[in-house]
Amino acid sequence: QKEVEQDPGPLSVPEGAIVSLNCTYSNSAFQYFMWYRQYSRKGPELLMYTYSSGNKEDGRFTAQVDKSSKYISLFIRDSQPSDSATYLCAMRVDQGGKLIFGQGTELSVKP
Amino acid sequence: SAVISQKPSRDICQRGTSLTIQCQVDSQVTMMFWYRQQPGQSLTLIATANQGSEATYESGFVIDKFPISRPNLTFSTLTVSNMSPEDSSIYLCSATGNSGSKYYNEQFFGPGTRLTVL
């Protein structure tokens, strides 16, 4: 079993839809959770960074962490074609620790 | 966020040769890392580049194949040695913000170096 599981998609939605991206993990020691967006032929761009459980909102993006269920989510409201990219979840145990990535979900937002 | 640049952005190399990839960060950072991303795959950590000491390699990666330097707090190099077509991949430099910065503990990535080995 992989430490971090993420549905690779692809996921296709119409413009304006609410998108839900999810990851599950097995290591209960993970405390730091990140979501990255990666456009084709570009490096990953940090979107959201969350410590421990709870929600964090930034514009159209909301990150949720449920440590009891070992489940994290990224919600995108009012999705735009420019949101079309691969979204990677990542997490680590402590501040200097190794970042473990999910497989990435490919999202396509159709105009 | 910290700005990370890499050189070259892409290269096509012959089997058996070596390529050195440079990574420059625009501010002092605590930790620097090198990742590999094969087509359609997620990121795999190659090693942590330690300033002033030998890099720490992950299982499956060795110093002879991927020598790494980190002479200061803003610069690192990764060499891919004695290349084979299996080394064709994107190589990404990454760094975490310094403890004195607002980006402390956030991890950023460079644009990547796209390597093709013939």
Side-chain angles (χ1 to χ4, degrees):
Chain A
Q1 182 190 7
K2 292 181 181 177
E3 275 193 285
V4 180
E5 298 274 3
Q6 184 177 7
D7 187 338
L11 179 63
S12 182
V13 301
E15 182 175 355
I18 296 174
V19 176
S20 172
L21 303 168
N22 312 295
C23 289
T24 59
Y25 60 94
S26 58
N27 187 351
S28 58
F30 285 135
Q31 295 190 86
Y32 299 87
F33 304 92
M34 303 180 196
W35 284 96
Y36 288 86
R37 177 175 63 195
Q38 187 174 24
Y39 291 114
S40 180
R41 298 178 176 269
K42 301 287 186 184
E45 170 194 7
L46 181 62
L47 268 182
M48 302 288 280
Y49 167 66
T50 310
Y51 170 69
S52 194
S53 283
N55 294 358
K56 184 174 184 178
E57 189 173 321
D58 184 1
R60 295 185 295 110
F61 299 89
T62 300
Q64 286 186 352
V65 175
D66 181 350
K67 290 189 71 179
S68 62
S69 302
K70 300 193 188 72
Y71 188 87
I72 69 170
S73 301
L74 178 71
F75 297 96
I76 307 174
R77 291 184 298 280
D78 187 24
S79 57
Q80 302 295 310
S82 59
D83 295 326
S84 298
T86 295
Y87 290 79
L88 297 139
C89 66
M91 50 199 78
R92 63 173 176 240
V93 172
D94 52 33
Q95 292 175 353
K98 176 181 170 181
L99 199 59
I100 308 297
F101 281 87
Q103 193 172 352
T105 299
E106 183 183 348
L107 172 67
S108 177
V109 181
K110 303 293 186 186
Chain B
S1 64
V3 177
I4 303 176
S5 59
Q6 288 183 232
K7 286 196 295 188
S9 58
R10 59 175 58 222
D11 208 339
I12 300 173
C13 300
Q14 295 297 319
R15 181 195 297 260
T17 63
S18 298
L19 175 72
T20 295
I21 303 168
Q22 297 181 5
C23 176
Q24 179 73 55
V25 190
D26 69 343
S27 58
Q28 291 187 349
V29 291
T30 307
M31 303 185 75
M32 294 182 75
F33 308 90
W34 287 97
Y35 287 79
R36 182 170 73 184
Q37 186 176 30
Q38 294 180 309
Q41 302 295 314
S42 190
L43 282 73
T44 300
L45 180 62
I46 297 171
T48 302
N50 300 309
Q51 195 263 327
S53 64
E54 204 167 276
T56 305
Y57 290 84
E58 296 297 308
S59 176
F61 297 98
V62 295
I63 187 170
D64 289 347
K65 176 67 176 176
F66 298 101
I68 287 170
S69 78
R70 188 179 172 190
N72 57 51
L73 292 175
T74 64
F75 185 79
S76 177
T77 66
L78 168 74
T79 298
V80 186
S81 303
N82 188 24
M83 288 184 285
S84 67
E86 291 71 36
D87 295 319
S88 297
S89 190
I90 299 170
Y91 292 86
L92 292 151
C93 176
S94 178
T96 56
N98 220 11
S99 60
S101 81
K102 63 185 271 190
Y103 305 111
Y104 178 54
N105 209 34
E106 295 183 15
Q107 189 164 337
F108 303 98
F109 285 82
T113 295
R114 185 175 295 269
L115 171 63
T116 302
V117 184
L118 302 177

